[in-house]
Amino acid sequence: MGLFKKNSDKIENLGGMEDFMTLIRVYFQAGMAGNLGITNINYLPDLATFKRSLKIQTQGNKLGVAEKPRCRKMLSQMYGLSEGFFKEIDSSIRKNCRNIQAVQGYMFQFQGFSSDLMMQIGTIMKWKFRVPNFLKKALYAMTEDSVHKIMTENKWQDESSYKTVFNIRNYQQHLGFSEQWMTEYAFSMIRLAKKEPKTKEKIEAAKEIMNKK
């Protein structure tokens, strides 16, 4: 990842969605390593890349101890995530990952939760995704309202929404994330999605690079 630069955690440009998700996984893995005493770093691929790229020294012979606060600092500075956001992740990991065998299942659950949550929010908000990023408060309020609908409303127009909402609620009950956490997470994803270049723009950029060679 381009944001993992030697001896630097100052980010000049906001990382994209891929960077955001990688750092989220690093934070999860660092928390798991610290809680469970995992010593084989190859078992935690994102944490391994993060640690080696930033040359973070292992603290107290324990993985995750030094890496976790470094990752949290980067996520806070780059994406403005709150302290409560990280506390909920820590609580969820303590509750659900009591042994190494639970780690893989937990990460699969979070992946499904994230995917279904963003899909259903997209279904609810539709055109509202076009709201400019400078209207940050309005976009956050819309995201907050969408999350609340997912967690409280039982009438949906189509069968797929019923199924997706059911899955989200099951994931949420198991993982233990609050509506506030879900809103903060989804809001970050939406803002990043709006910054991602469209496919056509990506192709044109690639062509330009090739023509310069």
Side-chain angles (χ1 to χ4, degrees):
M1 283 174 47
L3 62 85
F4 293 163
K5 296 180 180 179
K6 182 178 179 181
N7 298 326
S8 174
D9 53 12
K10 181 180 179 182
I11 310 301
E12 298 298 335
N13 298 310
L14 187 67
M17 190 181 298
E18 184 180 353
D19 292 341
F20 176 75
M21 286 307 303
T22 299
L23 285 173
I24 290 291
R25 290 194 301 271
V26 169
Y27 189 82
F28 274 107
Q29 292 174 17
M32 293 169 181
N35 289 351
L36 299 174
I38 298 173
T39 57
N40 184 358
I41 196 169
N42 294 320
Y43 191 69
L44 305 166
D46 296 295
L47 180 63
T49 300
F50 180 79
K51 181 179 180 64
R52 291 163 183 162
S53 299
L54 294 180
K55 299 189 182 301
I56 301 173
Q57 296 296 317
T58 302
Q59 185 176 326
N61 293 320
K62 292 182 179 180
L63 283 176
V65 175
E67 295 82 5
K68 183 178 172 182
R70 184 72 172 272
C71 181
R72 182 174 62 238
K73 182 178 179 181
M74 292 178 71
L75 281 165
S76 296
Q77 289 183 343
M78 293 170 63
Y79 306 103
L81 297 176
S82 69
E83 190 62 29
F85 182 88
F86 301 107
K87 287 181 178 179
E88 287 204 31
I89 294 178
D90 296 342
S91 177
S92 180
I93 291 174
R94 284 195 301 269
K95 174 187 174 184
N96 295 288
C97 297
R98 298 180 179 177
N99 54 60
I100 295 177
Q101 290 71 30
V103 169
Q104 188 174 18
Y106 178 87
M107 292 307 295
F108 275 129
Q109 280 196 328
F110 178 74
Q111 184 177 355
F113 171 68
S114 175
S115 177
D116 284 348
L117 177 64
M118 297 311 301
M119 179 169 64
Q120 191 59 27
I121 286 178
T123 298
I124 295 171
M125 290 181 68
K126 296 179 181 176
W127 64 268
K128 295 174 184 176
F129 270 98
R130 300 173 191 162
V131 173
N133 270 328
F134 67 83
L135 295 176
K136 186 177 177 181
K137 290 183 178 179
L139 188 60
Y140 185 89
M142 292 174 190
T143 307
E144 187 176 38
D145 182 62
S146 297
V147 169
H148 186 65
K149 285 180 180 178
I150 289 171
M151 298 307 298
T152 59
E153 290 192 6
N154 295 316
K155 294 182 179 180
W156 300 92
Q157 292 183 346
D158 56 271
E159 187 64 29
S160 62
S161 287
Y162 273 105
K163 183 178 179 181
T164 303
V165 167
F166 177 79
N167 288 339
I168 292 170
R169 291 181 184 180
N170 278 344
Y171 284 132
Q172 185 272 340
Q173 187 173 16
H174 183 77
L175 297 171
F177 293 123
S178 66
E179 285 188 29
Q180 182 178 348
W181 189 95
M182 294 162 67
T183 298
E184 193 168 355
Y185 176 77
F187 176 67
S188 297
M189 293 282 280
I190 290 169
R191 290 187 69 205
L192 291 169
K194 288 164 67 62
K195 288 177 175 290
E196 291 286 323
K198 297 178 181 179
T199 303
K200 183 178 179 180
E201 292 173 349
K202 289 181 179 179
I203 293 173
E204 292 302 319
K207 286 181 179 179
E208 185 177 348
I209 292 172
M210 292 301 294
N211 290 335
K212 289 181 179 179
K213 291 185 178 180

